[in-house]
Amino acid sequence: MSGSKKKKITKAERLKQLQEEEKRQKEEEEARVKHEKEEMERLEIQRTEKEKWRKLEAKALERSNEELEELYLLERCFPEAEKLKREKRLLSQWKHYIQCDGSPDPSISQEINTFISLWKEETNETFEAVIAKSKLVLNLIERLKLILLETPPYDLQDKNIAQYQGSILELQELLHLKFNIATEILLRQASTLADLDSGNMEKVIQDENVTLYVWANLKKNPRYRSVRFSETQIGFEIPRILATSDIALRLLHTHYDHVTPLRPVPAASQENPSTVTPFVKGEVKSVEAAISKNLQEECKQQENESHSVHEEETKVMEEQDDTERQTEEPEATKCDLEMKLLSETVSAAQMLLLENACEKPYSFEDPEVDLYQFTTLGGVYHLDILELPPQCKPVKGWMIVEILKEGLQKYVYPPETSEDFEMENAFPPIEVMLKVHENVIFFEDPMVARWDAEGKHWKTDGISNVSYQPEDRLITFSLETFGPVTLIQDAHVNMPYQSWELRPLDVNKVLLTVTTVFTEIQIQIKENLCKLASIKLSNKRHSSALEEKWMSPVSFIIALKEAGLNIFPTGHSHFYVVTNYKLPLVEMKAYRQMALLSSAFAFSWSRWNTECDPKNVVFKVREHLTKEEPSQNPNWNFLMFSGDRAQSLKINESSEAFSKALKEETEFHSTLYHMVKDFASKEAMEKVRLSSCQFIDSVCHLLLSTRLLSYS
């Protein structure tokens, strides 16, 4: 019984329990009070931050119109630059007209057609003569291509595009025809040019744009199957059947590509309408009408007042002054409206550079080369097996030659029907050894492609045993059938970029550095010209023929692409590269304002640009006025820009996470210009205002073409 009873709690134990309970309740109460206090403090901080944010937004909204008006005045440099470019194009036409050097103006169809017709009539031109003439032809083709690329889409009509592209194709076809005729003339003299040792003819003609290698099989020695040109490794390994045939081998290396079809030129159409508002166009017309009406009234007033008495002459003069002032005002208004019209047209053209294609234009099957993904480099190697034409024969002091009506004929290898041949391997692939053009950079081993004349595209089938020796720049492969051959590389091998920096060097002079997986490219921009400052491959400086050559931005971009240094995405590049998509309008506004500030401020890549949404871009900026190299740890400001709002961020490059929190003692602004103005010196802002409009336009064009904010 006593064991089943509960043990009695002593007074001391009960007192202890009460004390512990009181302590626990006190701690809980203290924790509750502390939590409430912290929550209240947090809510107060949040409320304060929201109030501060609201006040900053209200302040930014209040001055927004003023800031945008100032930016509009600053951005008048873009239509001003476009006006200067138009004047330059007209001046170029006029200079060509007064030169009277006999060369045609390629933009005038009558002149270019006359040139083509007259050259067609010229006969019996040697290869050297055709090469000399080709310099002018290539210059005309280049000028036509530049017209198509440099003229804004909204200034190009469909008929002009068709005319220029038609002239380019005619010149390309005629130039190649002339090279074929000159080759035939050369091969007729093969017997007189035969080598004393081998008995066969070998000829090499080199020029800056073309290199010709010709070998004529005069002896038909079955053991002579290794053809090498002028103690080089360039040549062929031919099978026995060709070694005993009446043939010639030609390797015509054109350092340009006239085989790949021309790319379509973007033009103003219903699909890509101009952002130019009909209101602006209407206003220009109404102002013109007002000016005309004012002038008419002035004339009538002058006629009526000419009959007035001498005492009223002073009054008449005062009224005429008023009329002149009234006429000047509409003239100024008309000029402003025309500038607004041109400004919107320029903006629309800039937006075209940032537009991404919605879908691939064509589905490429396996052996066919996708020219949106790959690019041809180093020109085209025209490989031909030719039937040897009848040779010149000396007869009584005369040279007699039989001229075939059908001209130069290709030797079909392998023949279409090979029933007469017992051996299965009677027509093996021909081994070819080529030299890669010295001015072209391949970041990976080049791929070989052959031209399919029927399908009008490059293909990679029919080519085997490809090997590349980068030290000697030699590529060897076996080819089943001869024809045009080219080397291709992934057009996006240097995308996306790892980092970039835009840094001022001097007045109207900046340095753009783009770092990729394989290379570091430095580009100098001065006034309206660009040049390649340096290239680094594997952290070692690499010399290039493009260095120290100042060119217009469009010509410079073409030259860099042709050298294998492609850092210029197209509208289809996002199908082949992992990009950091940003809204095109946000990108365009950022590039325009970065260009405006580039004379006094350095801009650079930030890793946080990939963390923010597509409606915002993040980059680093700092004032840079000295010509010296920047320090190892420069003091950067981190800016976020949405196109309508700029703000300075609290984070830095080493922060743990991305945050939109404002940097202390900073405010919102509607533009980048006013954002940097908050921390900039007077000297820096004065330098910005003194920047040349052509310089700003050139910097903006390079930024729009490289798309640094989307492809880094």
Side-chain angles (χ1 to χ4, degrees):
M1 288 290 290
S2 60
S4 63
K5 289 182 181 179
K6 289 185 180 178
K7 187 180 179 183
K8 276 191 171 184
I9 300 172
T10 63
K11 286 184 180 181
E13 286 175 338
R14 182 173 291 179
L15 184 63
K16 188 179 179 182
Q17 283 180 352
L18 287 170
Q19 286 175 345
E20 286 177 355
E21 181 66 21
E22 284 176 9
K23 186 180 178 183
R24 186 184 62 78
Q25 288 177 355
K26 188 179 179 181
E27 285 176 353
E28 285 180 357
E29 181 64 20
E30 285 176 354
R32 186 186 63 77
V33 170
K34 185 182 178 183
H35 176 72
E36 284 180 359
K37 188 180 177 183
E38 286 175 352
E39 184 65 17
M40 286 176 69
E41 286 175 354
R42 189 186 66 80
L43 290 171
E44 180 61 23
I45 291 168
Q46 198 175 48
R47 189 192 64 76
T48 308
E49 285 294 324
K50 279 185 179 178
E51 182 63 22
K52 183 183 174 184
W53 194 276
R54 189 189 61 76
K55 285 180 179 179
L56 288 173
E57 283 184 330
K59 190 176 180 181
L61 186 63
E62 190 180 327
R63 65 188 172 202
S64 175
N65 287 340
E66 186 184 332
E67 289 182 348
L68 291 173
E69 281 174 16
E70 189 175 357
L71 178 68
Y72 173 74
L73 292 173
L74 290 167
E75 287 191 337
R76 284 185 68 149
C77 61
F78 294 111
E80 286 288 352
E82 185 56 40
K83 280 178 72 177
L84 289 172
K85 284 190 275 188
R86 286 179 178 179
E87 287 168 11
K88 186 181 176 183
R89 287 194 288 268
L90 291 171
L91 184 63
S92 175
Q93 287 182 327
W94 173 247
K95 280 183 177 178
H96 180 270
Y97 176 75
I98 60 175
Q99 272 179 349
C100 298
D101 59 358
S103 64
D105 184 339
S107 63
I108 300 173
S109 59
Q110 294 92 332
E111 290 191 26
I112 201 73
N113 290 339
T114 302
F115 172 80
I116 289 169
S117 299
L118 290 174
W119 197 26
K120 280 180 180 177
E121 292 172 6
E122 292 181 28
T123 56
N124 298 324
E125 290 175 288
T126 63
F127 210 94
E128 289 81 0
V130 175
I131 282 178
K133 191 69 169 275
S134 72
K135 288 179 171 59
L136 172 59
V137 176
L138 293 171
N139 178 258
L140 294 173
I141 291 170
E142 185 181 347
R143 281 166 63 188
L144 284 167
K145 286 181 177 178
L146 279 176
I147 290 171
L148 288 169
L149 289 169
E150 289 186 333
T151 308
Y154 299 102
D155 283 350
L156 275 176
Q157 295 182 0
D158 290 341
K159 64 176 184 179
N160 296 126
I161 294 172
Q163 175 199 319
Y164 299 153
Q165 288 193 331
S167 297
I168 290 170
L169 291 173
E170 276 195 81
L171 288 167
Q172 289 177 348
E173 289 169 6
L174 181 57
L175 180 59
H176 194 67
L177 175 66
K178 287 287 183 178
F179 278 134
N180 284 344
I181 294 169
T183 302
E184 183 187 2
I185 292 169
L186 180 64
L187 286 174
R188 286 185 205 144
Q189 307 165 34
S191 56
T192 61
L193 299 170
D195 180 66
L196 294 175
D197 295 330
S198 66
N200 296 318
M201 186 271 267
E202 180 193 303
K203 183 80 172 175
V204 178
I205 301 173
Q206 284 187 311
D207 180 69
E208 59 182 318
N209 299 313
V210 178
T211 305
L212 173 73
Y213 302 91
V214 177
W215 178 79
N217 190 16
L218 299 172
K219 285 293 182 181
K220 304 179 191 62
N221 185 346
R223 288 176 299 195
Y224 195 92
R225 294 164 64 177
S226 184
V227 179
R228 295 289 182 276
F229 292 100
S230 300
E231 299 178 355
T232 68
Q233 290 180 287
I234 300 168
F236 311 94
E237 292 290 334
I238 58 174
R240 181 184 179 87
I241 190 165
L242 290 181
T244 56
S245 298
D246 214 16
I247 55 121
L249 297 174
R250 181 181 73 167
L251 164 54
L252 175 63
H253 181 198
T254 58
H255 303 168
Y256 49 82
D257 179 3
H258 285 176
V259 176
T260 304
L262 297 174
R263 286 278 177 95
V265 177
S269 64
Q270 291 179 349
E271 293 175 8
N272 290 315
S274 170
T275 59
V276 179
T277 56
F279 168 76
V280 178
K281 294 179 180 177
E283 283 293 302
V284 172
K285 288 181 180 177
S286 63
V287 170
E288 285 175 348
I291 292 167
S292 176
K293 187 179 177 182
N294 262 344
L295 290 171
Q296 287 174 3
E297 287 175 0
E298 183 187 353
C299 291
K300 285 180 183 177
Q301 192 175 4
Q302 285 175 350
E303 285 175 13
N304 293 334
E305 290 176 351
S306 63
H307 302 293
S308 64
V309 292
H310 178 74
E311 288 81 5
E312 294 180 357
E313 281 184 1
T314 308
K315 185 180 177 182
V316 171
M317 289 298 291
E318 287 174 0
E319 289 178 358
Q320 284 180 345
D321 287 343
D322 290 341
T323 308
E324 283 174 10
R325 279 195 294 272
Q326 288 171 6
T327 307
E328 284 171 6
E329 284 174 10
E331 280 286 1
T333 308
K334 180 191 172 188
C335 182
D336 286 342
L337 287 169
E338 283 179 344
M339 284 299 285
K340 187 173 182 181
L341 183 71
L342 184 57
S343 178
E344 293 190 16
T345 305
V346 169
S347 297
Q350 290 175 339
M351 277 294 286
L352 280 177
L353 293 172
L354 300 174
E355 283 186 3
N356 287 335
C358 297
E359 57 184 22
K360 292 184 184 180
Y362 178 70
S363 179
F364 296 90
E365 295 182 5
D366 192 25
E368 185 181 346
V369 176
D370 179 358
L371 288 176
Y372 289 98
Q373 182 180 4
F374 296 94
T375 183
T376 63
L377 287 178
V380 176
Y381 302 86
H382 296 266
L383 304 173
D384 297 296
I385 306 172
L386 305 168
E387 292 182 2
L388 202 58
Q391 297 299 294
C392 296
K393 295 178 183 177
V395 178
K396 297 180 181 180
W398 291 83
M399 293 297 288
I400 297 176
V401 63
E402 179 187 353
I403 298 175
L404 300 175
K405 187 179 179 181
E406 57 271 17
L408 193 66
Q409 294 295 300
K410 290 188 177 181
Y411 181 92
V412 181
Y413 179 91
E416 293 174 3
T417 56
S418 55
E419 294 173 0
D420 299 336
F421 298 90
E422 296 176 1
M423 293 174 62
E424 288 183 9
N425 297 324
F427 304 100
I430 300 169
E431 188 177 292
V432 182
M433 286 137 284
L434 302 176
K435 186 79 178 273
V436 176
H437 195 290
E438 59 183 1
N439 294 334
V440 173
I441 297 174
F442 281 94
F443 296 98
E444 298 171 337
D445 286 357
M447 294 178 281
V448 185
R450 65 175 184 85
W451 180 248
D452 181 356
E454 288 183 12
K456 301 290 181 187
H457 51 239
W458 294 103
K459 297 178 78 173
T460 53
D461 61 347
I463 301 162
S464 56
N465 304 324
V466 180
S467 67
Y468 179 55
Q469 301 171 37
E471 299 82 13
D472 301 321
R473 297 182 70 81
L474 280 172
I475 189 161
T476 306
F477 55 91
S478 297
L479 200 60
E480 291 177 6
T481 56
F482 267 29
V485 164
T486 192
L487 305 179
I488 60 174
Q489 177 173 253
D490 187 347
H492 309 96
V493 70
N494 283 309
M495 299 177 207
Y497 323 126
Q498 291 189 320
S499 64
W500 58 269
E501 184 185 66
L502 181 69
R503 175 165 55 89
L505 295 176
D506 206 341
V507 180
N508 294 329
K509 190 175 182 182
V510 297
L511 182 73
L512 174 62
T513 304
V514 180
T515 305
T516 75
V517 173
F518 294 102
T519 182
E520 180 190 274
I521 301 170
Q522 291 194 324
I523 300 166
Q524 272 191 32
I525 307 165
K526 181 179 72 174
E527 292 292 341
N528 60 336
L529 298 171
C530 308
K531 77 168 183 180
L532 183 64
S534 73
I535 315 169
K536 284 183 182 176
L537 299 176
S538 304
N539 295 320
K540 292 179 182 176
R541 188 177 172 84
H542 177 84
S543 60
S544 169
L546 293 177
E547 288 182 50
E548 308 308 319
K549 285 186 179 178
W550 289 101
M551 292 176 264
S552 70
V554 173
S555 299
F556 177 75
I557 289 168
I558 294 169
L560 237 60
K561 283 182 175 181
E562 289 177 349
L565 299 168
N566 184 20
I567 51 169
F568 308 101
T570 66
H572 296 88
S573 294
H574 63 285
F575 292 120
Y576 310 103
V577 184
V578 177
T579 64
N580 179 25
Y581 176 73
K582 301 293 176 183
L583 292 179
L585 186 61
V586 175
E587 261 196 283
M588 185 188 76
K589 286 183 177 182
Y591 295 143
R592 283 165 68 101
Q593 293 179 48
M594 285 164 67
L596 273 173
L597 297 161
S598 60
S599 280
F601 295 88
F603 296 87
S604 182
W605 165 89
S606 169
R607 73 187 182 101
W608 300 120
N609 188 43
T610 57
E611 298 293 324
C612 64
D613 56 80
K615 296 178 183 178
N616 290 285
V617 292
V618 176
F619 47 84
K620 297 182 290 191
V621 61
R622 63 183 173 83
E623 188 177 305
H624 184 89
L625 297 176
T626 61
K627 296 180 186 178
E628 295 152 12
E629 288 288 323
S631 61
Q632 289 295 322
N633 297 303
N635 186 23
W636 291 102
N637 290 282
F638 287 73
L639 298 189
M640 186 169 77
F641 184 55
S642 67
D644 300 316
R645 177 191 283 179
Q647 65 188 78
S648 188
L649 298 177
K650 195 174 183 178
I651 56 171
N652 56 41
E653 209 67 9
S654 58
S655 298
E656 290 183 4
F658 176 69
S659 169
K660 292 184 180 181
L662 274 177
K663 188 178 180 181
E664 289 81 358
E665 298 180 2
T666 63
E667 299 177 348
F668 295 130
H669 286 279
S670 299
T671 72
L672 287 177
Y673 174 83
H674 294 91
M675 187 72 246
V676 301
K677 197 175 177 182
D678 279 357
F679 58 79
S681 65
K682 287 183 180 179
E683 186 186 354
M685 299 315 292
E686 185 63 25
K687 206 170 178 182
V688 167
R689 282 188 285 271
L690 293 174
S691 298
S692 149
C693 66
Q694 288 182 303
F695 163 75
I696 294 168
D697 183 69
S698 297
V699 174
C700 184
H701 188 84
L702 260 291
L703 293 175
L704 288 163
S705 300
T706 50
R707 299 193 64 180
L708 301 171
L709 295 170
S710 284
Y711 281 80
S712 293

